Amino acid sequence: MLFNSIEFLIFLPIVFLLYWFVFKKLSIQNVLILIASYVFYGWWDWRFLSLIILSTVVDYSLGLQLKNTTEKKQRKRLLIVSLVFNLGLLGFFKYYNFFIDNWIQAWESIGVTMHASSLNIILPVGISFYTFQTLSYTIDVYREKLEPTKNFIAFASFVAFFPQLVAGPIERATNLLPQFYKNREFNYDFAVSGMKLILWGLVKKVVIADSCAVLVNRIFENYQDESGLALCMGAIYFAFQIYCDFSGYSDIAIGTSRLFGFKLMRNFNYPYFSRDIAEFWRRWHISLSTWFRDYLYIPLGGSRGSLKIKIRNVFIIFLVSGFWHGANWTFIIWGGLNALFFLPLLIGGKNRTNLDEVAETSILPSFKEILQILGTFTITTFAWIFFRATSLTQAVEYIQNIFNFNNFIPDIIRHKKVLPFLLLFVIMEWFSRRQEYAIVLDKKYRIVFYMLFAFMILYYASVDEKSSFIYFQF
Amino acid sequence: MKNFIIKITFLVTTILITYILLGFLADGTTDPFYLRFTSPKQKSLILGTSRAAQGIRPQILNSVIDKNILNHSIYNFAFTILHSPYGETYYKAIKSKLDENSFNGLFILSVDPWSISQRTNLNYDIESKKELSKLTFFNMNPNYDYLVNSYKNSMFNLLINKFNRDSTLLLHKNGWLEVNINMEKNDLRKRTLSKIEVYKENGKIYEISDKRIFWLDKTIQLLKKHGRVILVRIPVNKEILAVENELCENFDSIINTRFNNLLYLNYKEDSNNYTFIDGNHLYKASGKFFSKKLANDINNLSFNE
């Protein structure tokens, strides 16, 4: 079920009313959330519910076994079972064909013909997200950071919690699971903030991301015939498309969970105002970045040890992050590029210099900050080309064509529908950069704005198939 | 909680009322399909692809055909090659549009090689992803099912259309699609050449399909229970016909053999008598002329009953 669909518009109020008015007992509310989450997911394809249920049962059982085992070796074995199971599940559904194809190509490159066949595997929606979520539970229990739960319904609800099941934020068991044990009371301000987040998330998704998508698709599909300027614009539009699409989804997810009294972690923090790439990664897809930091980077040694070790760890984390996004070399290169951009900061010991807010004491950024922001945005956008391209060849040719100055023709006509919105969006985000979301408005005229936003969503909403969220494919 | 519910209800109600009101603005300029899903169930139908949608005018058939053959209005329920080739989707749509209580209807089925062909580069029926397959309600006015699930633009476009009408396509209440297009010689030639190219390309990826013939047969069997069925091959220009013949040279014999008990009016050789907007679709004036001829020919048929 899509957040920007009629089905969800009907589904959400029904669950909301049942949750607060019919089932007031905590345990029943959890059951309702679990059923609602399975319906929400099953709406796409009920067969794949079995994977979520299997993942839930396995990690729940492992958690209980870890509680009953003090022997180190045995505990390690149980953790390995969880890692093998979850990563195996992910590996099979997401990477099987990638490995098979590359294996065949590798042999063919030395003249050996291999006969292995790719399988027609459907990628289950959200598998990258819920496997990481259940993994975080088992790892935290193993590390004794979290008491394993005996409450299966609470655990199953944590794994399948519908607002964030399909595309995150990837919640930690330490944050979300305890919220299923506590009585939840309706809080007006909290629910209102949730509605504002939903509204703003939909504006980002429907008005900006989907408008950019039309141009991005056109430019990337016809990149060989487009002017250099159009290709630049295509990359910039994609930067905004992916940000508004994904952060829009996160806002709706966080907002929806607030309607039920749950607080999810923040996933985006105005990343395009970052002054360097390290700051960007502290502000972009925070739930994934911190997941990799806590469960991969730190265990590898993190920033401790020699420079070689540090560089190795940075590359591992970025390449794995790229690979997590999809079984394609384009994502791996995208990760590798980000690692390269990060390297100078790491070597110079400057990867934690911009921890404060940009233009903290002034309305506008300084000239230096403008240059830093533009520089960071440029390299990020450059890397996004690989992320968006369907193959490495396309990405390389796309970049080559940008620098074809004979064909650098301005073409403003087709951009006029999108550019004003992007400018308005950037201005709104800038003036809201210290707030949780960009539509904290003055009481006097906020209702007018909310109505305006609602009608903008309706105006831009279409039945186009492109309106599903980008991150559903990861 | 009460305050929250009141505010949300107010917001949702405002949006719902706006949507409901916008629905009333939809009309024949909305798109080339909408109006056909707003009329009541029909006793007599014109079926087929865009050739029939544009080329056969119900108004003329209603006025020319004898009342003992057609004693109520006929309705044009033809769409396009992508939406309504004969198949399961179109069959279900016809079934939904058909007045199941009528038994003296007239059904004119436009046939040509494309309408019983399948794309070879797809492993599914192309129409199964389009409007007709998404619809649940075929006879609702305003049709919110269509406007919400199938209309390609925002519903606010219905309001904008009122002030900024595109007069190229106008769908009439009887289902006939009127196309108003520049018929200046150069433009016409350009359009025709482009259409021939499109069909040549289509010829590479289409092939006659037993499955579609099966569904055409099934459609005919359904309609026979409710009246008389006539098959019609609408004229096209010679170049398009040549492409068609390449796709299926023995089309007429397939029809005559498979449906030998049916009346088949074949106008494929009549292209000299008509003007086409692109070689493939009859110009509206020619459509008028063709519809008259078709009506007169129907009057001269002897129905074996």
Side-chain angles (χ1 to χ4, degrees), chain A residues 6-7 16-17 20-21 186 188 191-192 195 199 259 446-447 450-451 454-455 457-465, chain B residues 1-5 7-8 10-11 14-15 18-19 129 134 146-157 160:
Chain A
I6 298 291
E7 290 92 338
F16 179 86
L17 293 172
W20 291 116
F21 292 98
F186 182 82
Y188 175 80
V192 165
M195 283 306 296
L199 184 65
L259 297 180
R446 69 183 177 198
I447 187 69
Y450 296 156
M451 283 309 233
F455 282 108
I457 292 162
L458 293 176
Y459 180 75
Y460 278 87
S462 72
V463 292
D464 204 321
E465 282 182 27
Chain B
M1 174 67 92
K2 193 178 161 187
N3 199 3
F4 181 78
I5 299 276
K7 282 183 176 177
I8 295 298
F10 168 73
L11 181 77
T14 309
I15 290 165
T18 308
Y19 251 52
K129 307 272 183 206
K134 290 181 195 169
Y146 181 86
L147 292 171
V148 170
N149 295 314
S150 294
Y151 181 48
K152 290 228 165 30
N153 300 312
S154 155
M155 277 181 71
F156 285 86
N157 269 48
I160 293 163

Side-chain angles (χ1 to χ4, degrees), chain A residues 406-447:
Chain A
N406 299 332
N407 190 16
F408 216 84
I409 310 155
D411 168 22
I412 293 299
I413 306 296
R414 63 174 168 176
H415 305 284
K416 66 180 182 185
K417 267 188 173 179
V418 177
L419 276 176
F421 281 116
L422 287 187
L423 287 171
L424 205 67
F425 172 71
V426 170
I427 292 164
M428 280 190 77
E429 285 240 310
W430 175 259
F431 287 106
S432 316
R433 70 191 181 282
R434 294 187 196 106
Q435 293 160 348
E436 193 181 11
Y437 43 87
I439 52 168
V440 179
L441 300 163
D442 192 287
K443 203 171 180 174
K444 273 180 278 183
Y445 48 81
R446 69 183 177 198
I447 187 69

